[in-house]
Amino acid sequence: MKAAHGSVFKYGDNVDTDVIIPARYLNSSDPKELATHCMEDIDKDFVKNVKAGDIIVASKNFGCGSSREHAPLSIKASGVSCVIAETFARIFYRNSINIGLPIIECPEAAIAISAGDEVEVDFDSGVITDVTTGQKFQGQAFPPFMQKIIDCEGLVNYINQK
Amino acid sequence: MGMTMTQKILAAHAGLESVTAGQLIEADLDLVLGNDITSPVAIHEIEKMNVDGVFHKDKIALVMDHFAPNKDIKSAQHCKCVREFACKNEISNYFDVGEMGIEHALLPEKGLTVAGDVIIGADSHTCTYGALGAFSTGVGSTDMAAGMATGKAWFKVPSAIKFNLTGKPAKWVSGKDIILHIIGMIGVDGALYKSMEFVGDGIQYLSMDDRLTIANMAIEAGGKNGIFPVDDLTRAYMKEHSTRPFVEYEADEDAVYDEEYTIDLSTLKPTVAFPHLPENTRTIDEVGDVAIDQVVIGSCTNGRMEDLRIAASIMKGKKCKKGLRVIVIPATQKIYLDAMEEGLIRTFIEAGAIVSTPTCGPCLGGYMGVMAEGERCVSTTNRNFVGRMGHVESEVYLASPAVAAASAITGKISGPDEVV
């Protein structure tokens, strides 16, 4: 069973890729280097406080804006184990699946979960548990085709196996 | 069940008679695009794939436009990486300094995008080519890598929103005002995952440059693509620029749309998007007194010939407000030359503006117009997110070339009627 477990960083609507990773850092494509500036323009303390396994929870249209794969790459390299949102912008959604960053759409969880809560996500069942409050939510399951890409940990491995 | 324009193009490229919204398909690609920021990541990924080279050396376009001419050593390393890849794989459509332009202005100009194509690009504004009746959409670097390797991409067939454009726009109302009005109406996620299909008798009044601007910003409403039907103007444009055969698609009469809007273009006014989202729109009579520090006229949204002509017609014989930095960026080398021959470059320079070689630089806060704390810019670009053009406390106001040019003269956000 694949799962995520960590404490929550919470953000609002329309978190765009320019605040996830500002373009002034796009002269690098090294995920580790990008991670040192992740979320910098929306939350200066994110990089300081994030621990391996932590979870980002946001409202609508997370990851809107540019197609820079550097955005999910920086989030993944910062140690985040899962992003939960009401909705994702479509390019960010695609990019996350393609690079193997687990993301789940779940409006109920995105609204109910608070910053700092301890949350568990079971990727097989799509169940999200707020350990702090005891609430459980059912996230949207991936279509089987996307699940295969996720199981291969990204599009490159999926293509190589095909 | 009938299909939309987008669905018909996707069905044809997936070898299927028909498709329906939500269906997952694999489609053949006519063109795969990348730039100097996204391509290095894609090249890194393709090197991990068990493939021998690229699927087709003529169906890949690599454009060095974001941080080129290179702004620093790291961006020079990126361009070098792409240059070596292009050379090794004999990519015919590799555009470096001297030949390059801003990708979404360059590719249609070079005839690489035509009606009926399926195009992916590792740049979110790849949706621009919908103006020509193509399905084109932005993807990330890994999709670009897979596209370069296999010539295919997976898609979830989108549902669509229909925008019925009627009437003739007033004098200073351009494609930019129309798309800003639409984004203001439906919001930055109003078309999330969906096609935006533009139809109606109002389209006859929209130039190709207007249509390219409108399709370009479909992504700012969350759209997967924006698309126009093909008419005589589109055919003439494609015949002028391309030798490639094209296929025209029209939506079926019984195509299903999630939503339909009718917009009377004659009622629209010049429109400005206030910080920090493209949906924060106000018409020019509602903007109030907003003093500015910088004006940028250019980008994949508004750096084309008609944009420069409109801006120059407003600035001719006038001076930019003292203390204001006014940056004009023709989007391609051809546009630069044409603007020079028409005397537009002289108009800009005599007004006190600078004219730069083609680059995306300032639009994304890269270089060539980065802003300091507390500064405000009126820009013909496409995004006004927090920190987009520089300091996290700077502000971007999105507008048409006409509004940007008028604001360059007055030093505050102004409509063209204030200065002409």
Side-chain angles (χ1 to χ4, degrees), chain A residues 60-101:
Chain A
K60 288 180 191 151
N61 203 23
F62 186 86
C64 63
S66 103
S67 68
R68 59 188 75 157
E69 206 158 287
H70 312 65
L73 281 172
S74 72
I75 290 175
K76 191 180 177 193
S78 71
V80 167
S81 62
C82 182
V83 184
I84 301 166
E86 283 184 55
T87 54
F88 290 93
R90 61 161 284 276
I91 304 177
F92 183 90
Y93 186 89
R94 245 185 121 95
N95 285 348
S96 299
I97 289 169
N98 284 343
I99 67 154
L101 170 69

Side-chain angles (χ1 to χ4, degrees), chain A:
Chain A
M1 185 184 81
K2 287 185 179 170
H5 186 146
S7 54
V8 165
F9 290 81
K10 180 119 190 221
Y11 303 103
D13 286 342
N14 305 315
V15 173
D16 61 77
T17 54
D18 278 277
V19 295
I20 295 173
I21 184 71
R24 58 185 177 273
Y25 303 120
L26 296 185
N27 55 5
S28 170
S29 50
D30 173 16
K32 283 198 190 91
E33 192 178 336
L34 293 169
T36 63
H37 301 290
C38 187
M39 309 302 276
E40 186 173 291
D41 282 358
I42 192 176
D43 180 0
K44 278 198 184 68
D45 298 326
F46 175 81
V47 168
K48 238 185 322 186
N49 296 333
V50 69
K51 302 180 302 296
D54 282 350
I55 291 169
I56 289 177
V57 178
S59 307
K60 288 180 191 151
N61 203 23
F62 186 86
C64 63
S66 103
S67 68
R68 59 188 75 157
E69 206 158 287
H70 312 65
L73 281 172
S74 72
I75 290 175
K76 191 180 177 193
S78 71
V80 167
S81 62
C82 182
V83 184
I84 301 166
E86 283 184 55
T87 54
F88 290 93
R90 61 161 284 276
I91 304 177
F92 183 90
Y93 186 89
R94 245 185 121 95
N95 285 348
S96 299
I97 289 169
N98 284 343
I99 67 154
L101 170 69
I103 57 171
I104 296 190
E105 279 190 353
C106 183
E108 299 78 17
I111 292 164
I113 293 171
S114 303
D117 284 3
E118 190 186 336
V119 164
E120 257 178 20
V121 184
D122 180 334
F123 295 128
D124 293 336
S125 65
V127 171
I128 300 164
T129 307
D130 188 329
V131 179
T132 306
T133 64
Q135 284 179 290
K136 278 185 191 293
F137 310 92
Q138 181 64 53
Q140 203 181 39
F142 290 107
F145 166 73
M146 281 185 223
Q147 190 60 51
K148 271 186 220 157
I149 298 177
I150 294 163
D151 291 344
C152 293
E153 294 181 356
L155 188 64
V156 172
N157 292 336
Y158 172 78
I159 287 174
N160 282 343
Q161 284 181 23
K162 221 164 52 158

Side-chain angles (χ1 to χ4, degrees), chain B residues 143-218:
Chain B
D143 273 320
M144 178 193 167
M148 287 198 295
T150 66
K152 292 174 189 296
W154 65 269
F155 297 105
K156 191 164 146 189
V157 175
S159 62
I161 303 177
K162 182 169 166 180
F163 296 89
N164 187 27
L165 309 181
T166 66
K168 185 178 179 182
K171 183 169 184 199
W172 297 116
V173 174
S174 67
K176 184 61 161 288
D177 303 292
I178 296 167
I179 190 63
L180 286 176
H181 171 80
I182 289 172
I183 297 165
M185 187 172 71
I186 68 172
V188 293
D189 62 350
L192 197 57
Y193 303 120
K194 296 178 185 181
S195 299
M196 297 171 75
E197 300 210 350
F198 303 98
V199 296
D201 62 15
I203 289 177
Q204 65 184 300
Y205 304 111
L206 302 178
S207 67
M208 275 324 297
D209 286 1
D210 281 324
R211 299 179 200 185
L212 288 159
T213 302
I214 292 171
N216 171 273
M217 287 189 71

Side-chain angles (χ1 to χ4, degrees), chain B residues 19-58:
Chain B
V19 294
T20 54
Q23 187 177 345
L24 285 160
I25 58 159
E26 192 171 58
D28 290 328
L29 301 172
D30 296 297
L31 189 70
V32 179
L33 163 71
N35 60 48
D36 52 312
I37 289 181
T38 56
S39 301
V41 180
I43 291 165
H44 183 67
E45 293 302 311
I46 204 170
E47 282 165 358
K48 291 192 256 171
M49 291 179 187
N50 305 327
V51 291
D52 184 24
V54 298
F55 87 106
H56 199 308
K57 68 183 180 62
D58 300 328

